[in-house]
Amino acid sequence: MAKYVIVGGVAGGMSAAARLRRLDETAEITVFERGGYISYANCGLPYYVGGVIAEKEKLFVQTPEAFHARFRVNVRVKHEVLGIDREKKQVRVKNLVTGEEFTENYDKLILSPGAEPVRPPLPGIESEGIFTVRSVEDTFAIKEYIQAINKPQKRAVVIGGGFIGLEMAENLHHAGFQVTLVELAPQVMIVIDYEMAALVHDHLRAKGVALFLEEAAQSFRRDGSELVVTLKSGKELRTDVVVMSVGVRPETKLAKDAGLRLGTRGISVNEYLQTSDPDIYAIGDAIEIPHRVTGNIQSIPLAWPANQQGRMVADNIVLGHKKPYKGDFATAIAKVFDQTVATTGANEKALEAAKIPYKSVLYHGGHHAGYYPGATQLSLKLLFSPEDGRILGAQAVGYDGVDKRIDVLAMALLKGATIDDLTDWDHAYAPPFSSAKDPVNMVGFMAENVLMGKVNVIDYKAVSKLVEEGALLLDVRTPHEFASGTIPGSVNIPVDSLRERLHEVPKNKKIIVYCRVGLRGYIAARILMQNGYKEVYNLSGGYLTYSAVMKKQSSSEATFEEGVDTGVHVSKPLQVSLPSKTIKLDVCGLQCPGPISRVKQEIDKLRPGDRLEVVASDPGFYNDVGSWAKVTGNRLESLSMDKGLVNAVIIKGEETSAPVVTSSGNEKTIIVFDGDLDKAIASFIIANGALAMGRKVTMFFTFWGLTILRKPKKVRKLKKNLLEKMFGWMLPRGSTKLPLSRMNMMGMGPKMIRFLMKIKRVDALEIMIKNAIAGGARLIACQMSMDLMGIRKEELIDGVEVGGVATYLETAEKADTNLFI
């Protein structure tokens, strides 16, 4: 009769125990579990804290008594295995209740000790009110502690933005706490790529969670009934409870003490899950396994691999080594308030680390047919091989249907599927469940277009580099979308007008086209490419993705006392005397620009003071509607998001013939009239300083100030009259030729100033100009001055707009500072 001993009684260990019994009725099977519970729903623990799971008994899949009754397995809870004697094939065990120690023999030993939460040795880490989440006991302790907090405003700090951290943030919020999340990385959920995480950041902010990204806890201390968390930046957060969720480390001490081979990420096992001792096996969070896409060895602390390995190791022990374990795709999913976030395969960081070539496409669309009620936005990113189209990974963020798509793509990965398989995928379609072209089909079509060379796709990271190289940004959305927000320096030509306005798009430039999500951008790219434009790029994910990643991701300027800025700014009440009426508008299922277009249509029918109540399923509408209302002179009375649906109430403003822009009070405008080097330096020092403070900056260059913007080399083949040519000869050609206002000394003064700037480590003027453009400053050249002086747009450096006094005055109205230099 074989004797099997298992260390660890949660996912992997109990799966192995049950499978062993099903394969061998005569075996003696013993499980030692250090905690007081077995087979509990580890992933459900945060939801008990938040009260979503109301009864603690529902956390337990099995009890020791019930498991023994069914499988005749001897389960001993509160028993810790202290050591392994490999020669005698014994384990030394301590009864944690009585303190008794004893030994137990085995024929085969299975190690499933799991992973322990990282608890960094920070000052004050042992203070009351600081918790980690691993076991049932941890969860009960948190629940008991927060229930004892009796105050009007309860506050919680969660350290770590991974799966458990985000689930704890949501559930503490659900329990009535104002939550702040502190994460060392620039993003939450590092298993997904940055642009996908930015969508999660938006949702967290909308739910009132303060995000402190690229921050870390340095120390903790108690101040009366409160905890004070000091961050590495020096900022202090006052709170009632702290939950540490900064990661886990494999429990390897038992294996190490027994002399078993360890890897860099956990206990080392072979393809049959054997350790370096052929009679000892290891499974679950404690072992290192290969990633099935990159081949990299890593620890994957997820429920499915542990359960799968438990079953496989039992088969290999009883039936012989017939089932090799091939690794894992790290498929995972999490609920983050109303959103669902999921991933499978490799992300960009993993592929780059493994030096695996890849391309990606990003789709934003409805999770089912837009005309059927309840469609919500689903964002799906696909990574694939540019050589053979093999699928390498996928990520999804949305409100419904995320699990379905990621599971389909996980199976595609398992079967080694390619892009062609996604375009051929025959899915179950009806309007309540999908669209005729499912999002999985759509990312297949998009990737196919890339592989076939039908479109060149770039991501948000490549935009600035191409603009620096002289690329033109072409926004093909509607004028109202453009007015609500755009990438600085863009030219707006709606896609439906593009064929008639091709003469406005230069053929000697690289063209970056973009729309809201990418579809209209693709259509515009095809129009341009088929009309002789050689270098055309479509921005992946469109303005929705670009604006999400470019906005301030962290709430590091907010405090508990100040609250969290969710982006909802309500205007002052309108003074109207006419009786008002309320109109309801449901634009669910429409993707941008549909919701904004419908809102405009309805607003145009109303009188000033009338209310428009809008419900939309496009989450981008949450950010768009406020900007749209501001530039059109209407008032956003309220804005909220619940379960993926955006609810907005708009009060129609007084009739205007053009969009109205209200003052934000903190923008900066600078009129640069002079062309002297010292004044140019002063202008850009002020501009870059304002940008560093998060302010918007507009610089209006007129008359001699235009010389700062001239290219250093002559642009040939420009037709000019004699007077215009004379101006060109007499004016300095660009920033490197500017004189000083005083002490010019026939050109020696500027050289001395530049030399001093260099040794004092002050950026050269040319670098200041480049930094200002990269930082989002608008550099506007006065059209009237250019006409008088014979300066053409082609003679100016890249990144400069051409505009008139109205353009300047529009920005000046939004500024609290206006300088004339």
Side-chain angles (χ1 to χ4, degrees):
M1 181 176 65
K3 187 170 184 178
Y4 307 127
V5 171
I6 301 171
V7 179
V10 192
M14 298 313 292
S15 179
R19 182 66 172 175
L20 282 169
R21 174 59 72 217
R22 290 194 295 268
L23 295 175
D24 187 350
E25 182 64 22
T26 65
E28 181 182 342
I29 307 170
T30 301
V31 177
F32 293 111
E33 167 54 44
R34 181 172 51 192
Y37 306 89
I38 64 164
S39 290
Y40 55 82
N42 206 314
C43 297
L45 297 180
Y47 299 98
Y48 176 70
V49 172
V52 177
I53 298 174
E55 301 171 21
K56 65 174 69 174
E57 291 75 17
K58 292 187 176 180
L59 293 171
F60 307 119
V61 180
Q62 279 283 7
T63 64
E65 297 77 17
F67 199 82
H68 181 268
R70 177 162 296 180
F71 295 105
R72 294 299 188 267
V73 170
N74 184 18
V75 180
R76 300 186 186 183
V77 296
K78 296 187 178 179
H79 280 66
E80 182 176 9
V81 175
L82 302 177
I84 304 169
D85 188 329
R86 292 167 53 190
E87 288 187 6
K88 295 181 179 179
K89 299 183 74 171
Q90 290 179 341
V91 292
R92 182 164 54 90
V93 186
K94 180 177 181 179
N95 185 323
L96 298 179
V97 176
T98 66
E100 172 196 2
E101 292 189 15
F102 60 92
T103 61
E104 187 82 23
N105 296 326
Y106 66 82
D107 293 315
K108 301 293 182 183
L109 176 65
I110 301 174
L111 301 180
S112 183
E116 60 178 341
V118 174
R119 195 176 177 94
L122 300 174
I125 189 72
E126 300 301 330
S127 301
E128 181 187 7
I130 301 176
F131 300 90
T132 56
V133 185
R134 182 202 186 193
S135 65
V136 170
E137 289 84 356
D138 294 335
T139 307
F140 289 171
I142 297 172
K143 182 82 168 183
E144 182 180 353
Y145 188 85
I146 66 173
Q147 285 180 329
I149 299 172
N150 185 19
K151 55 194 298 190
Q153 187 181 43
K154 298 181 289 185
R155 297 165 298 184
V157 171
V158 177
I159 312 293
F163 283 88
I164 297 297
L166 289 174
E167 288 169 351
M168 285 303 303
E170 176 187 350
N171 281 281
L172 286 165
H173 182 276
H174 194 270
F177 284 76
Q178 185 178 12
V179 179
T180 290
L181 186 68
V182 179
E183 168 56 52
L184 180 62
Q187 66 173 80
V188 300
M189 300 193 78
I190 59 172
V191 294
I192 62 176
D193 291 323
Y194 186 76
E195 66 268 38
M196 301 298 281
L199 302 175
V200 182
H201 297 166
D202 262 357
H203 188 61
L204 289 168
R205 285 191 294 265
K207 292 296 182 180
V209 174
L211 284 177
F212 284 73
L213 301 173
E214 297 185 88
E215 273 281 21
Q218 291 289 86
S219 65
F220 306 89
R221 74 175 192 276
R222 289 210 67 89
D223 183 5
S225 63
E226 294 183 328
L227 277 163
V228 179
V229 184
T230 302
L231 304 181
K232 69 174 183 179
S233 63
K235 185 178 288 292
E236 292 188 340
L237 305 175
R238 305 186 74 85
T239 183
D240 300 302
V241 63
V242 173
V243 176
M244 300 292 297
S245 181
V246 296
V248 296
R249 62 167 64 96
E251 289 256 25
T252 60
K253 184 178 185 304
L254 193 61
K256 181 181 179 181
D257 291 346
L260 299 177
R261 184 170 60 247
L262 301 182
T264 57
R265 301 298 180 90
I267 303 171
S268 179
V269 294
N270 65 13
E271 62 182 336
Y272 299 108
L273 301 169
Q274 280 178 302
T275 67
S276 53
D277 185 322
D279 292 321
I280 302 177
Y281 295 75
I283 57 176
D285 298 355
I287 68 172
E288 60 176 23
I289 58 177
H291 192 287
R292 291 191 66 168
V293 173
T294 65
N296 291 339
I297 300 299
Q298 60 191 69
S299 171
I300 302 180
L302 297 170
W304 163 244
N307 279 279
Q308 179 192 24
Q309 292 159 17
R311 178 183 174 89
M312 291 181 70
V313 79
D315 285 356
N316 287 329
I317 288 173
V318 178
L319 304 176
H321 294 157
K322 296 180 179 179
K323 281 195 173 183
Y325 183 71
K326 299 177 183 178
D328 196 78
F329 289 109
T331 303
I333 193 167
K335 178 180 180 294
V336 183
F337 290 89
D338 299 337
Q339 275 187 343
T340 305
V341 185
T343 177
T344 187
N347 61 18
E348 288 188 356
K349 294 180 283 290
L351 292 171
E352 288 166 3
K355 295 182 170 52
I356 297 175
Y358 70 92
K359 286 189 176 294
S360 68
V361 291
L362 183 53
Y363 168 82
H364 300 294
H367 85 281
H368 65 51
Y371 58 82
Y372 186 85
T376 57
Q377 180 176 294
L378 174 69
S379 298
L380 185 59
K381 180 175 182 178
L382 185 75
L383 299 107
F384 57 96
S385 168
E387 298 166 356
D388 57 11
R390 183 170 57 90
I391 300 165
L392 302 174
Q395 301 153 37
V397 176
Y399 300 88
D400 284 298
V402 169
D403 54 342
K404 169 182 174 178
R405 275 67 185 207
I406 217 70
D407 284 344
V408 167
L409 290 165
M411 179 58 76
L413 275 166
L414 179 66
K415 295 301 181 183
T418 68
I419 295 306
D420 290 340
D421 296 308
L422 300 188
T423 62
D424 287 344
W425 177 53
D426 184 5
H427 65 97
Y429 161 63
F433 306 104
S434 182
S435 300
K437 297 176 182 176
D438 188 83
V440 172
N441 296 130
M442 291 301 298
V443 291
F445 295 144
M446 294 166 71
E448 181 183 57
N449 286 333
V450 172
L451 290 178
M452 294 174 65
K454 298 297 183 185
V455 65
N456 297 313
V457 175
I458 62 165
D459 65 13
Y460 68 95
K461 299 187 291 291
V463 171
S464 59
K465 183 176 185 297
L466 284 173
V467 170
E468 287 176 7
E469 294 173 356
L472 172 71
L473 284 162
L474 181 59
D475 186 334
V476 296
R477 298 174 298 157
T478 65
H480 275 282
E481 289 177 273
F482 182 79
S484 297
T486 189
I487 302 175
S490 297
V491 173
N492 181 218
I493 302 178
V495 65
D496 294 336
S497 307
L498 183 57
R499 292 180 179 88
E500 290 73 34
R501 298 174 60 181
L502 283 174
H503 62 279
E504 300 178 34
V505 184
K507 284 194 173 182
N508 61 343
K509 282 180 173 284
K510 298 175 182 177
I511 311 295
I512 303 172
V513 293
Y514 67 92
C515 61
R516 173 67 178 175
V517 298
L519 177 58
R520 286 173 289 170
Y522 167 64
I523 295 169
R526 292 301 301 154
I527 292 172
L528 291 169
M529 292 171 72
Q530 293 181 86
N531 278 277
Y533 290 81
K534 302 300 183 185
E535 289 193 77
V536 181
Y537 303 88
N538 187 24
L539 178 58
S540 182
Y543 185 69
L544 189 158
T545 296
Y546 186 89
S547 59
V549 299
M550 291 303 173
K551 70 176 60 170
K552 180 170 69 73
Q553 302 293 315
S554 179
S555 303
S556 55
E557 296 177 4
T559 66
F560 280 124
E561 291 72 26
E562 294 166 348
V564 180
D565 182 3
T566 62
V568 181
H569 301 282
V570 179
S571 309
K572 293 181 179 179
L574 295 167
Q575 302 298 318
V576 294
S577 56
L578 294 173
S580 62
K581 65 178 180 180
T582 298
I583 300 297
K584 296 182 182 296
L585 176 64
D586 187 336
V587 292
C588 290
L590 294 182
Q591 301 299 310
C592 191
I596 287 293
S597 298
R598 287 295 310 282
V599 166
K600 180 183 183 303
Q601 292 171 13
E602 294 302 318
I603 282 287
D604 287 346
K605 300 175 185 176
L606 302 180
R607 297 176 301 180
D610 287 347
R611 293 162 54 91
L612 182 65
E613 296 181 356
V614 189
V615 57
S617 57
D618 178 5
F621 184 73
Y622 184 88
N623 293 317
D624 290 348
V625 66
S627 299
W628 178 86
K630 183 169 63 175
V631 301
T632 55
N634 298 294
R635 179 164 69 91
L636 181 62
E637 185 178 52
S638 67
L639 182 63
S640 63
M641 181 184 290
D642 183 47
K643 296 181 179 178
L645 297 180
V646 181
N647 294 277
V649 177
I650 305 166
I651 308 298
K652 174 147 184 186
E654 297 293 343
E655 298 291 346
T656 58
S657 58
V660 176
V661 180
T662 57
S663 174
S664 62
N666 63 2
E667 299 185 21
K668 315 298 177 188
T669 53
I670 305 173
I671 300 175
V672 185
F673 179 84
D674 216 310
D676 293 328
L677 175 62
D678 44 341
K679 295 174 183 175
I681 292 170
S683 300
F684 280 96
I685 288 175
I686 295 169
N688 283 308
L691 290 169
M693 294 174 63
R695 306 307 189 220
K696 293 183 178 180
V697 175
T698 300
M699 304 178 74
F700 188 72
F701 295 80
T702 184
F703 283 97
W704 317 119
L706 289 171
T707 59
I708 301 170
L709 304 180
R710 294 185 78 192
K711 291 178 179 176
K713 293 183 178 181
K714 182 179 180 181
V715 179
R716 302 189 179 278
K717 298 182 180 179
L718 293 178
K719 293 183 178 180
K720 293 188 177 185
N721 59 38
L722 180 59
L723 196 57
E724 291 172 336
K725 289 179 180 178
M726 289 177 64
F727 266 111
W729 296 331
M730 292 185 291
L731 292 174
R733 195 174 295 282
S735 60
T736 58
K737 304 295 184 181
L738 300 180
L740 285 179
S741 60
R742 297 186 182 183
M743 297 176 60
N744 190 53
M745 297 184 296
M746 300 184 69
M748 289 299 297
K751 292 180 180 179
M752 292 170 61
I753 287 292
R754 287 180 180 274
F755 175 74
L756 289 171
M757 290 171 70
K758 184 176 181 180
I759 64 174
K760 297 290 185 180
R761 302 182 70 85
V762 177
D763 285 340
L765 173 59
E766 293 69 35
I767 295 176
M768 293 183 190
I769 295 173
K770 184 178 180 180
N771 290 341
I773 294 172
R778 293 182 67 192
L779 276 57
I780 302 174
C782 175
Q783 181 70 69
M784 180 272 294
S785 299
M786 290 173 63
D787 291 342
L788 289 176
M789 301 167 74
I791 297 175
R792 302 286 194 267
K793 176 74 163 63
E794 293 85 351
E795 296 179 86
L796 303 181
I797 61 175
D798 294 331
V800 176
E801 303 175 45
V802 175
V805 68
T807 304
Y808 156 69
L809 290 174
E810 179 188 8
T811 58
E813 287 182 0
K814 297 185 287 182
D816 63 353
T817 303
N818 186 30
L819 302 178
F820 185 91
I821 298 177

